[in-house]
Structure formats: structure tokens, C-alpha cells
Amino acid sequence: MKKDRWLLRSIVLLALSAVLMTTVSLAAEAGSSGDPLVTLSYLNDTFFNTLMQRVDQKIAERTGQAVPGGGSSSAASFAVVTLSEGQTLTGDIGCEVMLRVGGAVCVSPSDPGLIDETTASTLANGGALVQNHLYMMTIEGRGVRATAAAKVLARGSYTVT
């Protein structure tokens, strides 16, 4: 009789354990919307591509797109601009230019003309640009006029007249 109780208790305990483990495993279902199962291939092939496309779209929206071959541009990277003698590059606020070849002077209706980011100084109207110095337009109507054929690197929105 005692052996039968022991066997009965063991069977009941095993049945309760099985029911409890089944309940826990169903509640913690992997791959459900509450607990998604994410694989490395999903991250590499789908998620990161989607994320990078969104980042590229946001960057393009904030910085604008380069206008190829025209007299104006808006770009996040530097573009080579060739100026003939007398031509003027006028930049929007935040436009940066660097004289690489030739000669150019600052064009500005008032002070400060251009900010020389290389030396942390200002350049007044008519002041000559120094080659390989980075200049920024911080007020509208600022620009550079070529005194000889010149090549400048420009980043930001500008027009050439």
C-alpha cells in the first residue's frame, strides 16, 4: 500500500511538472510579437540596409543634393569650382571655400567679410584669399571674386556669376 502511494505521488508530481513546463514554454514563446527572435542574417540583410537608407534620406534632406555642372550648387562635400578672371562665387550662409589655384579676393558689402577658419580671423572686402585656407560665409551676400583664373573648393550652397 505504501509503495502504491509513492508511485501515485511520483506520477502526479511528474504530471504537474510537465504541465508547468509546458505553460512556461508557451508563455515565453520565442519569435512572437512580444518576444521576437532576431537572427544575424536579418540584421545584416534587412535591418541595417533599411536603417542606412533612412539615414541617407535624412542626410540628403538636410544638406540638399549637388547640382551638377550648373552655376549653383548645394552639397555636403566639396566641389571643385573653376572661376575665370572677374567671376564671382557668392555663397549662402555656411558656405565654405578654399582657394587652391590662382588668385581671388573677398567680396563683401560690410565687415566682417569672410571668416578665415584656418587662422580664426576675418577677411575684409578686397582682402586677398590665401591658398589652402578655409573661409566661411557667415552673412548673406559674401563671396570671392577671381583676380586671375582660379580653382576653389566649395562646400554648401553658392552661385557663380
Side-chain angles (χ1 to χ4, degrees):
M1 182 115 167
K2 279 204 177 220
K3 283 189 174 187
D4 290 339
R5 281 189 176 177
W6 180 81
L7 183 62
L8 183 62
R9 286 182 182 166
S10 297
I11 291 172
V12 169
L13 185 60
L14 280 171
L16 283 174
S17 295
V19 168
L20 183 62
M21 286 191 297
T22 304
T23 305
V24 168
S25 68
L26 288 176
E29 178 183 336
S32 69
S33 62
D35 182 26
L37 177 64
V38 179
T39 63
L40 182 60
S41 62
Y42 170 78
L43 288 176
N44 289 334
D45 297 338
T46 306
F47 179 74
F48 288 130
N49 289 338
T50 305
L51 180 65
M52 293 310 291
Q53 288 173 353
R54 283 184 172 172
V55 168
D56 290 342
Q57 286 173 348
K58 290 293 182 184
I59 290 172
E61 287 173 6
R62 290 185 183 206
T63 60
Q65 295 294 323
V67 178
S72 67
S73 177
S74 172
S77 60
F78 283 99
V80 177
V81 180
T82 303
L83 299 173
S84 301
E85 184 175 346
Q87 275 190 311
T88 302
L89 180 147
T90 305
D92 289 342
I93 295 174
C95 180
E96 295 174 300
V97 295
M98 178 185 293
L99 178 65
R100 295 291 292 144
V101 176
V105 294
C106 173
V107 176
S108 171
S110 63
D111 284 333
L114 299 175
I115 305 299
D116 185 342
E117 295 181 53
T118 306
T119 61
S121 62
T122 59
L123 186 64
N125 184 41
L129 276 69
V130 177
Q131 284 187 354
N132 300 321
H133 279 217
L134 186 61
Y135 296 92
M136 178 184 279
M137 289 95 173
T138 58
I139 303 173
E140 285 185 26
R142 285 12 182 198
V144 296
R145 183 176 59 248
T147 56
K151 287 188 186 244
V152 296
L153 296 177
R155 176 170 54 193
S157 298
Y158 63 86
T159 57
V160 176
T161 53

